[in-house]
Amino acid sequence: MTTAPSTDDLELPPGYYLDSATGAWLTLPWPGDKALPWGHPERLEELPPSLGPTIIRWAESTLIHPLTGSPWRFTPGQKRFLHLWYALAGDGRWVYRSGVKRGAKGVGKDPLAASLALVEFVGPVEFVGWDESGRPLSRMRKMSLVQVAANSESQAKDVLRVLNAMISKKMRLRYGITPGKLQTQTRSGSMIELLTNSERSAEGDPPTAVFLNESHHMTVSSGGEGIAEVVRRNVGKSPDYIGARVLELTNAHQQGMDSIAERSYEAWQAQAAGKTHHRDILYDSIEADPATDLLDVESLERGLRQSYMDAPWVDIPRVIAEVQDLRTSVADSIRFYLNGLAAAEDAWVDPRRFDALARPEVVVEDRERITLFLDCSKSTDATGLVGCRVSDGHLFVLGMWQRPHGHRGKDWLAPRHEVDAAVRAAFERYRVMWFGVDPSPARDDEDESLYWRDPIDGWHRDFHKKVFLWATPGQASGHAVMWDMRMSAKSGRERNRQFTEEAMEVARLVDEEDGTPFTWDGHAGLRMHAHNAKRRPNQFGFTLGKVTRDSSRLVDLAVCAVGARVGRRLVMNHPKFRKRSTGARKGKAVILR
């Protein structure tokens, strides 16, 4: 069982390169020839000026190992990261505005966070100028405020507990440090504190450095999103002589969870792909080759030695046993031990594979044959309109309407007139062969009629002679566009069967490794909704749905994409379409009875 397509078959994502000695996937933007192995001497002449060497010397001469009490030592990979994290531009500003240190379970993220918190607490991190040879000079900050934020007090306490253990008696006396369970301070007023209170209480605090611990757990539902957003705002207003920053320490995030770690990864990917003006996010991750086979001990050992290449203390045989323990899920093995991005076990499609099939450069020309699907909502979910090109199944978004965030979303209702205009524009531009509308059961507040009844009936009247196939067949009781997926609706069971089969087919096409005809337009909304979608078993196989009925993580555009492909299949399988009938060429309707 492999984690993803092999490296030979899969183009490296933006920002990644291979370690020539081990085959590990690396992201740290170390200058020079990246084909050289990890242990090659660093090309210091190609590096930007940095406080890193000064900070490393201070830490290794001041801090102690939390378990052994021996002098603290950074690993080669940590030293590389520190050199870049404390790199300076010509005007004395930090080169990197924010950072992420992502690693497998057990690589030492907590001790690294603890050591850096102590560096920011009483170490020489404040830039004061350049010496005669052009090297940066620095000193200890006055009144530093270092914050450690996490979802829970226990997660934040882990870092504080470790950093207190790294303070030697000599260091405690020298700087006047008083360790504590929730705060560690100096006589001069510097402080390390935990941020586990409500986001409101954190607003306005003037930190000099913030560490987000376990940011893969920080989501909307956990409350971590609020804390993360507050601390970003707080460091954003930091004066330039302080240059406060946020550093995340995280395991690989679960794709589709919309965690802070996932958002940071996507922001860095956009930066690495050249889609942003600034290039100031430092992202450091050492990952196993995605082609690692979890069931093959030799392949697994190779992958683990890649992900733990900067952590020689890890017991690889023990980790192999943990990975192959039947109680450890595949997704957890990939994320926590191989440091790879795994889809959730119940994900409808693998997000990374789905993203790789985006083709934003594809243009659906005017008058091309397409099918349409509209998923209707009144206010809570999104209303989406997606097209599918009949010739090759390419999906493209024609509209998405959903409640705005915050106060703007109060009393918001889906704009029926805008949806109607988008539908009619599609019929004007393309040759619509089939149009399916899944109506919302919501009712109008004014007259208690179905909210979408009038637009749907209008489309039936205006387009019943233009579509090639009616969505609901039947001369007397049929409907040109209505495609009601409720099981209680007429033929609802059959429609659910067709939708389920197509949802499974899309998942199969996305999972294929040897090339696939499945493509989509790269629309951000469709991407997010496909990432959000979970597999939902039913009597026909598995369909897709939200993580919970009341979840705010919407899936409506994914539903529209599958529905549009159902319409394409119905059109292509119809005998008169295959024979290119005269009626089809002239655009006359064929009503299935």
Side-chain angles (χ1 to χ4, degrees):
M1 178 180 295
T2 59
T3 65
S6 69
T7 302
D8 294 336
D9 298 330
L10 184 67
E11 182 179 353
L12 288 173
Y16 281 86
Y17 59 97
L18 294 180
D19 175 51
S20 61
T22 66
W25 285 30
L26 309 179
T27 67
L28 193 68
W30 199 248
D33 185 358
K34 292 186 173 64
L36 295 174
W38 176 259
H40 193 274
E42 295 124 350
R43 296 185 172 188
L44 296 178
E45 71 277 3
E46 299 180 33
L47 294 170
S50 172
L51 296 181
T54 298
I55 287 169
I56 291 169
R57 286 193 297 271
W58 178 89
E60 293 192 341
S61 63
T62 306
L63 307 180
I64 60 175
H65 193 284
L67 296 179
T68 65
S70 57
W72 171 254
R73 294 291 181 264
F74 291 109
T75 67
Q78 291 170 347
K79 289 181 178 179
R80 289 186 175 204
F81 176 80
L82 290 176
H83 194 103
L84 292 176
W85 182 236
Y86 287 103
L88 294 163
D91 59 0
R93 292 176 179 269
W94 302 123
V95 171
Y96 293 101
R97 177 179 52 86
S98 65
V100 180
K101 193 76 169 69
R102 175 180 134 201
K105 194 175 185 65
V107 296
K109 294 185 294 296
D110 280 358
L112 176 63
S115 66
L116 293 186
L118 289 169
V119 164
E120 294 286 346
F121 181 42
V122 292
V125 295
E126 185 171 274
F127 171 75
V128 295
W130 309 92
D131 67 11
E132 295 179 354
S133 61
R135 289 176 297 190
L137 301 172
S138 63
R139 65 187 176 197
M140 182 179 73
R141 293 192 194 280
K142 295 180 179 179
M143 296 289 290
S144 62
L145 175 58
V146 180
Q147 296 176 334
V148 179
N151 268 333
S152 66
E153 186 174 293
S154 62
Q155 289 176 346
K157 275 184 174 179
D158 285 342
V159 175
L160 194 60
R161 179 175 59 86
V162 173
L163 74 84
N164 283 335
M166 298 178 76
I167 302 172
S168 66
K169 182 178 180 180
K170 179 180 178 180
M171 179 182 174
R172 186 181 305 180
L173 294 173
R174 177 181 178 184
Y175 296 101
I177 298 173
T178 302
K181 293 183 178 180
L182 298 179
Q183 291 180 343
T184 291
Q185 359 185 10
T186 67
R187 287 192 299 267
S188 60
S190 292
M191 180 185 299
I192 301 174
E193 67 176 6
L194 304 185
L195 269 189
T196 57
N197 299 323
S198 69
E199 56 191 85
R200 180 178 300 176
S201 68
E203 193 80 60
D205 291 340
T208 54
V210 182
F211 296 88
L212 294 184
N213 197 32
E214 310 282 10
S215 62
H216 58 287
H217 289 311
M218 292 184 165
T219 63
V220 174
S221 60
S222 71
E225 179 201 45
I227 295 176
E229 290 179 349
V230 166
V231 298
R232 289 197 191 284
R233 289 196 294 269
N234 287 344
V235 300
K237 60 187 181 185
S238 171
D240 59 0
Y241 67 88
I242 292 180
R245 298 181 290 175
V246 178
L247 176 62
E248 295 178 40
L249 298 109
T250 182
N251 292 121
H253 57 271
Q254 180 175 300
Q255 296 184 91
M257 288 294 292
D258 194 30
S259 64
I260 294 301
E262 182 171 23
R263 294 182 191 181
S264 296
Y265 175 80
E266 292 177 349
W268 168 71
Q269 278 284 281
Q271 170 186 284
K275 297 179 180 179
T276 59
H277 176 69
H278 296 285
R279 300 179 65 84
D280 54 5
I281 301 172
L282 181 62
Y283 198 94
D284 185 10
S285 180
I286 302 175
E287 306 170 29
D289 182 348
T292 300
D293 189 338
L294 301 182
L295 301 181
D296 181 272
V297 174
E298 184 177 344
S299 175
L300 177 57
E301 181 176 354
R302 177 176 178 271
L304 291 172
R305 295 198 181 281
Q306 291 168 344
S307 59
Y308 288 104
M309 59 185 286
D310 197 46
W313 55 82
V314 171
D315 184 351
I316 296 297
R318 169 62 185 269
V319 178
I320 291 175
E322 292 291 342
V323 171
Q324 296 196 325
D325 190 319
L326 295 179
R327 295 168 293 183
T328 306
S329 72
V330 172
D332 282 353
S333 294
I334 295 170
R335 290 175 52 224
F336 291 113
Y337 299 117
L338 299 177
N339 196 29
L341 298 181
E345 297 290 326
D346 61 347
W348 171 50
V349 293
D350 185 297
R352 180 180 287 189
R353 292 183 185 275
F354 186 82
D355 291 352
L357 298 172
R359 298 293 183 271
E361 71 280 2
V362 172
V363 176
V364 180
E365 302 290 347
D366 292 356
R367 307 312 302 158
E368 286 204 60
R369 291 175 172 176
I370 69 167
T371 58
L372 290 175
F373 194 89
L374 177 73
D375 185 33
C376 296
S377 175
K378 179 182 176 182
S379 59
T380 305
D381 292 334
T383 294
L385 179 65
V386 172
C388 180
R389 185 160 57 186
V390 173
S391 61
D392 62 358
H394 178 74
L395 293 164
F396 57 105
V397 177
L398 291 166
M400 181 176 74
W401 301 266
Q402 67 181 57
R403 181 194 300 274
H405 292 294
H407 181 73
R408 293 183 302 124
K410 185 179 180 181
D411 301 325
W412 181 87
L413 298 175
R416 289 172 289 194
H417 62 287
E418 292 183 16
V419 178
D420 180 65
V423 168
R424 295 181 183 278
F427 271 86
E428 286 290 327
R429 181 173 180 180
Y430 305 106
R431 296 176 62 185
V432 180
M433 309 293 288
W434 182 90
F435 178 29
V437 182
D438 186 17
S440 167
R443 295 188 175 273
D444 195 296
D445 294 336
E446 296 180 0
D447 59 10
E448 289 299 310
S449 63
L450 290 174
Y451 187 76
W452 290 97
R453 184 190 64 183
D454 289 347
I456 291 173
D457 285 348
W459 298 326
H460 169 73
R461 291 190 297 270
D462 295 341
F463 303 136
H464 71 280
K465 290 185 178 180
K466 293 186 177 182
V467 293
F468 175 66
L469 294 178
W470 279 21
T472 301
Q475 185 69 49
S477 60
H479 201 287
V481 304
M482 183 79 78
W483 209 73
D484 194 337
M485 288 182 60
R486 290 176 296 177
M487 291 293 284
S488 59
K490 180 183 178 182
S491 302
R493 177 183 174 84
E494 175 61 18
R495 282 189 280 274
N496 272 270
R497 182 190 64 79
Q498 293 170 340
F499 186 91
T500 299
E501 290 178 352
E502 194 61 38
M504 295 169 64
E505 175 66 6
V506 171
R508 184 190 67 80
L509 290 174
V510 171
D511 282 344
E512 281 190 350
E513 297 184 11
D514 55 353
T516 171
F518 179 83
T519 60
W520 59 289
D521 65 351
H523 187 277
L526 177 52
R527 177 181 183 271
M528 179 178 293
H529 288 199
H531 285 206
N532 290 343
K534 302 298 183 183
R535 293 190 180 192
R536 292 292 175 259
N538 61 22
Q539 56 191 304
F540 309 112
F542 67 83
T543 183
L544 64 97
K546 294 197 293 184
V547 61
T548 64
R549 183 181 295 274
D550 298 326
S551 174
S552 61
R553 296 173 56 221
L554 305 179
V555 301
D556 303 274
L557 284 185
V559 170
C560 292
V562 173
R565 285 185 61 94
V566 170
R568 173 180 180 257
R569 185 177 297 276
L570 293 172
V571 168
M572 294 185 67
N573 287 345
H574 193 270
K576 291 190 177 182
F577 177 80
R578 295 199 301 270
K579 294 178 181 178
R580 302 180 62 85
S581 68
T582 302
R585 288 198 300 271
K586 292 181 178 180
K588 295 181 180 179
V590 177
I591 303 173
L592 294 180
R593 295 178 173 85

